[in-house]
Amino acid sequence: MPQQPARGTRLFTVTADTLVAVDFGPRTKRRPPGPYGRLFARPGTRAFTLANLLARLPMGMFSVSAVVMIAGTRGSYALAGAVTATGLAATALVAPWTARLVDRYGQARVAVPATLVAALGSLALLLCVRYDAPAWTLFAAYAATATTPNTGGMSRARWAHLLDGDPDALHTANSFEQAADELCFMLGPVLAAFLCGAFFPEAGTLVGVVLLVTGVLAFAAQRSTEPPPSGRTAAGAPEPSPSPLRSPGMPPLLAVCLALGAVFGSMEVVTIAFAEAQGHRTAAGVVLALQAGGSCAAGLLYGRVRFAGPAEDRYPWCVAAMTALLILPLLAASLTGSLLLLSAALLVAGMATAPTMITNMTLVQRRTPECRLNEGMTLAVTALLGGIACGSAAGGWVVEHLTPTAGYGVPVTAAAVALLVTLAGPGVRTAP
């Protein structure tokens, strides 16, 4: 019985006066994997990434769920806002200490108990609201959620550990992580609002707790990719290392994060107010999702680009582009008053967000001592949260005392402040 020629072989034969050659090799060449394909071809990366995404999604759910749950049962948005603001302030104080423990003792040993404490706080808030407990119990319960670990920071720390010595791959990983942040903060509020509206007011908080605990447990179980605890020496004594706050160029970078947070916080409040003034308040979530979607797409594209120069050189250009593009929503709102044109302007303006944040986090990583990487990135996130709170207050004040259209000047001003700090801040544009 004739056998099939092996793949890759050639068969030669003669027909009359013609030599015939038949090539049994494959007709198509396999394209080499792209930067993201090479990134996730590394063992264990897909498992810890999927688990981290599951744990990160609730970060965009909890505040919206708490507001809907408290306002729906107590009838007071003022109380709901005060409770969430208290949780934000507690997170700003507790998160850096939690990150420091993660660096010193390891992600699994610290993240799991810290997550369980935060989950108990969320469940306590749910029960206090459900059974009409005194108002002060709501503040105490929500403050307990401040122990939630910075899951995005832990994922970035794993990439930094796995990709040590490969700056191009680390750039791709940071780009992916920023796009994941944008995706989670885009889908989280939508999912929370749907659950609270379609089922019962506590549904968003309950599902968020389940996702957070499940995701962190699955993430902590991926021990092969976990960076080793670097805060102790072999003898067991703490390793002396400077605080990230003392690293050259770090304070102005955190100041930029504070200003960028003000951009995000003010943009959210002003857009909601503008949509309500146009009679389309329910469309505000979709409009803001377009901004996050533009940022997510730009982040993934940014990760495929290979840059010749250092991140310090392109950082001012990223912040300048963000400042310039934020003028588009202001123009769309003031010149046309069209929510549709505003949506398009926010989509374009959002495309500068991810490249700016990716470059910012890259610089934070380079200026943070390796043994305190989680702490350094959590300080950046804390600065962003503080800026979001300040930006929300400033945007709300302008909307209330002036107009929603004038409110779009707040994010432009905050971005301009970030640009001034970038250009004038000592050490921001100097490689360590």
Side-chain angles (χ1 to χ4, degrees):
M1 182 176 182
Q3 295 183 351
Q4 182 73 19
R7 290 172 60 89
T9 61
R10 291 178 173 83
L11 178 64
F12 296 93
T13 186
V14 177
T15 302
D17 58 350
T18 304
L19 176 64
V20 179
V22 182
D23 186 1
F24 291 94
R27 293 291 179 267
T28 59
K29 295 183 178 180
R30 296 186 60 183
R31 295 179 58 186
Y36 290 106
R38 293 191 297 271
L39 191 68
F40 289 105
R42 298 171 183 265
T45 55
R46 295 183 182 181
F48 88 73
T49 298
L50 290 175
N52 191 272
L53 289 175
L54 189 65
R56 205 183 310 187
L57 180 60
M59 297 300 102
M61 297 176 59
F62 282 129
S63 61
V64 174
S65 299
V67 169
V68 174
M69 180 172 60
I70 296 172
T73 56
R74 299 297 177 96
S76 173
Y77 278 97
L79 176 62
V83 170
T84 54
T86 300
L88 184 65
T91 300
L93 294 174
V94 175
W97 293 94
T98 304
R100 184 177 301 179
L101 293 175
V102 168
D103 286 326
R104 178 171 296 183
Y105 299 106
Q107 294 182 353
R109 291 184 62 186
V110 176
V112 172
T115 299
L116 294 178
V117 171
L120 291 176
S122 293
L123 294 177
L125 175 68
L126 186 152
L127 294 175
C128 289
V129 172
R130 184 75 172 178
Y131 294 102
D132 199 23
W136 68 266
T137 61
L138 307 184
F139 291 90
Y142 203 66
T145 64
T147 61
T148 304
N150 180 10
T151 51
M154 291 193 298
S155 184
R156 288 178 171 91
R158 292 204 179 201
W159 287 119
H161 167 65
L162 295 173
L163 305 176
D164 187 25
D166 191 347
D168 288 341
L170 185 58
H171 166 73
T172 302
N174 285 334
S175 300
F176 172 82
E177 291 297 328
Q178 185 60 40
D181 282 341
E182 299 291 346
L183 182 64
C184 291
F185 279 100
M186 179 174 61
L187 297 179
V190 176
L191 178 60
F194 169 76
L195 292 171
C196 294
F199 298 99
F200 47 91
E202 298 85 359
T205 299
L206 188 60
V207 172
V209 169
V210 173
L211 291 176
L212 175 64
V213 173
T214 303
V216 170
L217 289 177
F219 179 78
Q222 311 302 318
R223 304 302 292 268
S224 62
T225 54
E226 180 181 356
S230 53
R232 290 187 172 273
T233 61
E239 265 188 15
S241 58
S243 169
L245 288 173
R246 298 180 182 178
S247 300
M250 192 69 165
L253 273 177
L254 297 180
V256 173
C257 288
L258 188 68
L260 294 179
V263 172
F264 307 145
S266 59
M267 185 67 75
E268 181 175 351
V269 172
V270 172
T271 300
I272 292 174
F274 184 85
E276 184 175 9
Q278 300 297 316
H280 300 286
R281 184 179 183 181
T282 55
V286 178
V287 175
L288 291 170
L290 286 174
Q291 182 187 13
S295 179
C296 179
L300 292 175
L301 181 62
Y302 191 72
R304 300 181 66 90
V305 179
R306 291 291 173 263
F307 297 96
E312 288 81 4
D313 290 345
R314 61 180 179 272
Y315 188 51
W317 293 101
C318 290
V319 181
M322 185 175 180
T323 306
L325 290 179
L326 283 172
I327 299 176
L328 295 178
L330 176 61
L331 294 176
S334 58
L335 297 180
T336 68
S338 169
L339 190 62
L340 183 62
L341 289 179
L342 175 67
S343 302
L346 286 174
L347 175 66
V348 176
M351 293 180 179
T353 300
T356 302
M357 292 304 305
I358 292 166
T359 311
N360 182 282
M361 293 304 293
T362 299
L363 296 179
V364 168
Q365 289 180 5
R366 292 181 181 179
R367 282 157 173 74
T368 302
E370 184 179 355
C371 59
R372 302 182 74 164
L373 188 56
N374 282 286
E375 182 182 353
M377 289 187 290
T378 301
L379 285 172
V381 173
T382 301
L384 285 170
L385 293 176
I388 290 173
C390 295
S392 298
W397 188 93
V398 172
V399 166
E400 184 174 345
H401 290 83
L402 299 175
T403 63
T405 299
Y408 281 104
V410 178
V412 176
T413 303
V417 171
L419 180 59
L420 289 176
V421 175
T422 302
L423 296 175
V428 174
R429 294 179 296 135
T430 304

